[in-house]
Amino acid sequence: MLNTAMAHLDAIKDQLRQHNHSYYILDDPSIPDAEYDRLMQQLLVIESVHPQWVTADSPSQRVGDKPLEGFQQVTHALPMLSLDNAFDGDDLREFDRRVRERLSKHSDRAIEDPIIYACEPKLDGIAVSLTYENGLLVTAATRGDGSRGEDITQNMRTLDSVPLCLLGKGWPATLEVRGEVYMPSAGFEALNTKLAAKGLKTYVNPRNTAAGSLRQLDSKITAQRPLELCAYSIGLVSDDNTLPQQHFDILHQLQVWGFKINAEMRRVQGIEACLDYYQTLASRRTHLAYEIDGIVFKVDQLELQERLGFVARAPRWAIAHKFPAQEEMTGLLKVDFQVGRTGAVTPVARLEPVFVGGVTVSNATLHNMDEIQRLDLHLGDTVIVRRAGDVIPKVVQVVLERRPASAEAIQTPTTCPICEGPVEREEGEAALRCVNGLSCGAQIVQAIKHFVSRKAMDIDGLGEKQVQALVETGKIKHVADLYALDHAVLAAMERMGEKSASNLLSALHKSKSTSLAKFLFSLGIREVGEATARSLAMHYGRLTNIKVADIESLLAVEDVGPIVANRILHFFADHDTLTIIDELQRAGVHWPEFDPVEVQSHQQNLPFKGFSFVVTGTLSSLSRDELKSQLQELGAKVASSVSKKTDYLVAGEKAGSKLIKAQDLQVTVLDESQALSLVANALEQVSKFNQVVE
Ligand code: IVH
């Protein structure tokens, strides 16, 4: 029994050592952090039950590993510790209880109750230590194994947020500042876009990228990377120190001396306030400009910190409350290929369901065959799935050491998985495309689904299954056939019935009266979304003008660039397409048309021209989409996310993160009734032209 437990302990230690090596030395973690944390947790539990089994070389005694060869080594004057983790509110309350218990036991003084805590986001980057002598930066080092790190002074000097000499005055002769180097999300995305454009391997996440960037032997490379330093504590300080006696105040002093500190940092009383802080930050997590993997809570009073002291690897006065992991490990079951409206054949990973980023994920996009190759993905592989915020889940890495011998390479399809027609890859494009166009069942189904969708012709009552059935049985070959469907055919369909058939027919009838913008959008021209369709409608006023427009004319339309212009030209040059449009018009589809000159001058004078709105939350007297189209009719740009460019945020009930972001950015916030009266006033100023774009 004991032997098995010991063998289990050894196995866990081995795994942790291996992962430490991948993480700290190779900057290439082989498993997600959450998996690592779980292993470490298991180790700590076993070691706490059998303290006699704790060996000096156990990973619990030394988190991290040897520094890389190639950099000078630096011995930290004071060890750089790590933090204990809390995974839920109970863990956190337990931490607070331990703190208070310990303080009251070892003291003749009354314990401060509630405890004052400093709350800080736990930045997901690399810990560094910077030593200043007489105000000048002399050494910068990585954390390494906690006692010895690597000398990265040259590299750290390249970061704008690292003061080369301290500002102001009053700093101690020796001051060691500790903090996290991280790469803001926008910089990370931009870097990956650049790498991908050059056909180079992209980075998995901002943390690894920051680590890789700091580990460059050539500091010119580091200098080009968008890295930032945020200070979060001090290390060695000389005797002449006149630093404040509270952690929170020390960080503000560091700010005065030229360091960036985290703007979200707060000082609160008691552990319940810490939990509130955690909730608030958790809800804003995806809107922060950088990645965080939890919140760090620190006892604010230095005197109390000293009394609490340390255990092997972590202080007793601080804890990291981790967020749910954004990366998890799971099995790749198979890869399916889906065909979209434009014929793009997209691989989709079918995964063993896994809980990641707050939801259960069983599918992840693989984008295209290049991505499969880049990942070196095989059937049967164990993969790391990442779901950060609302972003769709992504396979970011294969865990190579878990690849079974039976793993099979993924074959590039040579024919369309739906119509079995040929697939090809257009010059300069990553996607494989089925060339059968509207004679490929999948593409017709998608085209029809798009045509009937709410923002297009808004024909309610036709689901994907029904469209599929109509296409498969040959009842419809293209969108115009929809208007020839009769009651008998529809009523005989599965899951339809008399009533639904009648409803569908009246929806079809109603849809015939539309706007030019919606009609254009519903045609599903590649690259022409709702906004471009509106711009085209406003610019040309009449369909005939668009049909005959040449490239120069198209390029003059707002938001239309060469790629879009060519797609439009190509679309209207197709004989079959023109026939379908004629058929639709003969079936009675119509919209008001206008003289373009008149429309354009009207558009220029719209009351909300030049204003950008975002609408969020639940509205009581109309839907968000209704309000959005009213705003657009009045000339406003309606965006989906709040930025510095937003002029107004309309916030309905239960507005969440967008409202918080708007408040942060000091964007004017309107409630529903304020927004409606603004719209009503503006509507008075405008006239008949509304119908052109509806
Ligand atoms: S304090 C003795 N504060 O988290 C306390 N650490 O697991 C030392 N980290 O190695 C750390 N943000 O890289 C502290 N606001 C913060 C932090 C933070 C990120 C990292 C740091 C450390 C790790 C601990």
Side-chain angles (χ1 to χ4, degrees):
M1 186 63 193
L2 272 186
N3 274 347
T4 342
M6 226 168 171
H8 183 49
L9 178 71
D10 280 340
I12 295 177
K13 283 191 198 169
D14 263 338
Q15 286 184 51
L16 282 167
R17 281 192 197 106
Q18 232 178 339
H19 298 315
N20 269 347
H21 181 80
S22 311
Y23 192 89
Y24 290 106
I25 304 294
L26 307 176
D27 285 335
D28 190 16
S30 46
I31 53 165
D33 290 358
E35 182 72 18
Y36 182 92
D37 289 345
R38 274 191 290 271
L39 282 170
M40 180 58 86
Q41 214 62 33
Q42 282 180 26
L43 176 66
L44 293 174
V45 168
I46 302 177
E47 289 185 341
S48 69
V49 179
H50 305 284
Q52 72 280 16
W53 292 355
V54 180
T55 55
D57 67 350
S58 165
S60 67
Q61 306 301 300
R62 186 192 62 164
V63 211
D65 211 326
K66 289 185 247 65
L68 262 187
E69 283 172 17
F71 285 104
Q72 294 288 318
Q73 297 201 353
V74 177
T75 302
H76 300 300
L78 299 172
M80 288 184 79
L81 299 161
S82 131
L83 291 168
D84 269 342
N85 292 326
F87 294 99
D88 56 28
D90 287 346
D91 289 352
L92 204 59
R93 290 189 185 99
E94 181 52 29
F95 159 77
D96 177 63
R97 196 195 55 74
R98 284 195 308 268
V99 164
R100 286 184 296 122
E101 185 182 73
R102 201 168 181 95
L103 287 175
S104 54
K105 250 193 214 157
H106 299 277
S107 167
D108 40 3
R109 260 178 290 169
I111 125 106
E112 185 188 2
D113 194 8
I115 302 282
I116 296 173
Y117 289 106
C119 317
E120 303 164 14
K122 186 169 184 299
L123 295 163
D124 204 3
I126 329 297
V128 296
S129 146
L130 303 161
T131 304
Y132 290 81
E133 296 287 358
N134 299 317
L136 288 181
L137 173 65
V138 289
T139 320
T142 60
R143 174 169 176 274
D145 65 2
S147 346
R148 290 203 310 166
E150 294 157 351
D151 186 332
I152 50 160
T153 315
Q154 285 307 326
N155 288 345
M156 287 300 288
R157 282 178 182 281
T158 69
L159 271 62
D160 290 332
S161 47
V162 171
L164 298 178
C165 58
L166 300 177
L167 305 179
K169 49 185 183 323
W171 15 265
T174 300
L175 173 68
E176 183 195 347
V177 175
R178 292 175 176 182
E180 196 86 348
V181 171
Y182 61 99
M183 185 173 284
S185 313
F188 168 71
E189 297 297 339
L191 179 65
N192 262 355
T193 309
K194 252 198 264 169
L195 290 172
K198 287 189 195 154
L200 297 172
K201 196 173 168 215
T202 53
Y203 285 98
V204 169
N205 58 39
R207 200 218 78 93
N208 292 357
T209 321
S213 304
L214 272 191
R215 283 277 181 73
Q216 297 292 330
L217 288 167
D218 176 1
S219 58
K220 289 201 186 79
I221 298 178
T222 314
Q224 288 160 14
R225 301 282 169 86
L227 297 172
E228 284 180 19
L229 168 78
C230 175
Y232 59 60
S233 74
I234 47 167
L236 182 74
V237 182
S238 52
D239 289 345
D240 58 334
N241 102 71
T242 50
L243 283 165
Q245 286 307 297
Q246 275 89 21
H247 170 79
F248 191 81
D249 299 335
I250 292 179
L251 293 194
H252 282 89
Q253 178 61 65
L254 292 182
Q255 186 179 36
V256 172
W257 288 336
F259 292 91
K260 189 182 167 93
I261 58 171
N262 196 290
E264 308 294 340
M265 197 168 62
R266 299 285 181 275
R267 180 152 53 186
V268 305
Q269 264 196 24
I271 205 70
E272 294 306 320
C274 291
L275 277 160
D276 288 347
Y277 178 90
Y278 174 89
Q279 292 303 346
T280 310
L281 257 279
S283 72
R284 297 183 42 209
R285 180 183 186 187
T286 54
H287 302 283
L288 296 176
Y290 41 81
E291 294 214 335
I292 63 177
D293 57 351
I295 303 293
V296 184
F297 299 106
K298 300 173 183 168
V299 172
D300 194 42
Q301 281 281 351
L302 293 202
E303 192 223 323
L304 299 187
Q305 287 188 1
E306 269 157 38
R307 275 163 53 193
L308 286 161
F310 300 85
V311 277
R313 54 192 275 268
R316 287 202 191 87
W317 42 263
I319 195 152
H321 189 177
K322 298 290 278 277
F323 286 138
Q326 292 188 321
E327 287 180 11
E328 281 290 359
M329 209 158 68
T330 191
L332 172 69
L333 301 174
K334 62 174 183 156
V335 172
D336 281 339
F337 290 89
Q338 289 181 339
V339 184
R341 181 159 60 83
T342 60
V345 179
T346 310
V348 180
R350 306 290 182 204
L351 305 164
E352 250 167 63
V354 61
F355 192 73
V356 55
V359 298
T360 301
V361 169
S362 41
N363 303 308
T365 174
L366 291 167
H367 302 293
N368 50 48
M369 290 310 292
D370 287 353
E371 176 80 353
I372 290 181
Q373 259 176 14
R374 189 181 70 75
L375 291 164
D376 182 27
L377 191 64
H378 283 54
L379 294 175
D381 267 342
T382 296
V383 295
I384 297 178
V385 183
R386 179 176 166 82
R387 182 183 180 273
D390 303 332
V391 180
I392 49 171
K394 213 176 154 214
V395 172
V396 289
Q397 202 179 341
V398 169
V399 184
L400 277 179
E401 60 251 49
R402 297 222 176 178
R403 172 168 291 168
S406 59
E408 280 172 42
I410 295 159
Q411 304 300 332
T412 305
T414 49
T415 55
C416 168
I418 307 297
C419 72
E420 294 178 358
V423 289
E424 64 184 33
R425 205 171 152 158
E426 279 170 39
E427 174 97 19
E429 268 209 52
L432 281 176
R433 223 171 267 283
C434 162
V435 299
N436 268 352
L438 290 182
S439 41
C440 162
Q443 290 178 64
I444 309 172
V445 171
Q446 295 304 324
I448 295 172
K449 254 181 66 192
H450 173 75
F451 185 82
V452 302
S453 65
R454 201 164 46 80
K455 289 178 177 169
M457 297 299 276
D458 194 14
I459 301 165
D460 210 12
L462 259 190
E464 175 152 1
K465 288 263 163 355
Q466 286 152 338
V467 175
Q468 243 159 14
L470 287 169
V471 172
E472 273 164 23
T473 53
K475 304 250 165 26
I476 45 178
K477 294 198 171 55
H478 53 69
V479 291
D481 292 343
L482 282 171
Y483 291 100
L485 289 170
D486 64 25
H487 191 270
V489 167
L490 289 175
M493 284 177 64
E494 243 179 83
R495 277 174 293 197
M496 192 53 108
E498 298 281 328
K499 181 91 177 97
S500 313
S502 305
N503 288 346
L504 177 54
L505 282 178
S506 65
L508 277 161
H509 182 73
K510 200 168 134 227
S511 76
K512 289 181 186 174
S513 174
T514 185
S515 69
L516 179 54
K518 284 192 173 171
F519 182 72
L520 284 171
F521 174 60
S522 70
L523 292 176
I525 308 168
R526 268 174 77 185
E527 315 283 345
V528 176
E530 246 189 307
T532 312
R534 285 173 56 84
S535 304
L536 287 165
M538 280 189 226
H539 190 94
Y540 290 105
R542 300 193 169 108
L543 181 63
T544 39
N545 297 346
I546 303 176
K547 281 187 187 165
V548 299
D550 60 15
I551 189 100
E552 282 77 32
S553 155
L554 286 166
L555 286 172
V557 180
E558 197 180 322
D559 294 337
V560 173
I563 295 178
V564 183
N566 272 312
R567 295 275 186 230
I568 298 167
L569 273 186
H570 193 251
F571 184 85
F572 287 107
D574 183 66
H575 183 261
D576 291 347
T577 303
L578 294 176
T579 312
I580 294 173
I581 293 176
D582 281 349
E583 269 181 52
L584 284 167
Q585 286 186 290
R586 261 187 282 129
V589 176
H590 65 282
W591 52 84
E593 299 211 321
F594 292 93
D595 177 350
V597 179
E598 239 180 300
V599 180
Q600 281 168 36
S601 77
H602 171 72
Q603 290 300 330
Q604 287 313 315
N605 294 320
L606 281 173
F608 292 163
K609 183 85 196 162
F611 286 93
S612 170
F613 283 72
V614 173
V615 183
T616 190
T618 314
L619 305 176
S620 58
S621 56
L622 75 179
S623 73
R624 276 203 301 267
D625 277 337
E626 281 164 342
L627 179 62
K628 283 183 196 171
S629 56
Q630 289 190 6
L631 292 167
Q632 283 166 341
E633 277 165 41
L634 293 163
K637 228 184 165 108
V638 182
S640 55
S641 60
V642 176
S643 74
K644 278 189 220 135
K645 293 191 196 137
T646 310
D647 297 296
Y648 294 102
L649 175 80
V650 181
E653 287 296 308
K654 300 206 188 92
S657 53
K658 289 183 190 170
L659 177 58
I660 296 168
K661 181 145 190 212
Q663 286 162 343
D664 280 359
L665 294 173
Q666 300 187 332
V667 166
T668 308
V669 177
L670 304 173
D671 65 19
E672 180 173 344
S673 70
Q674 288 169 319
L676 289 180
S677 67
L678 200 69
V679 167
N681 280 339
L683 272 173
E684 275 177 28
Q685 302 170 33
V686 297
S687 54
K688 58 172 183 165
F689 292 101
N690 293 343
Q691 304 159 42
V692 72
V693 288
E694 202 181 273

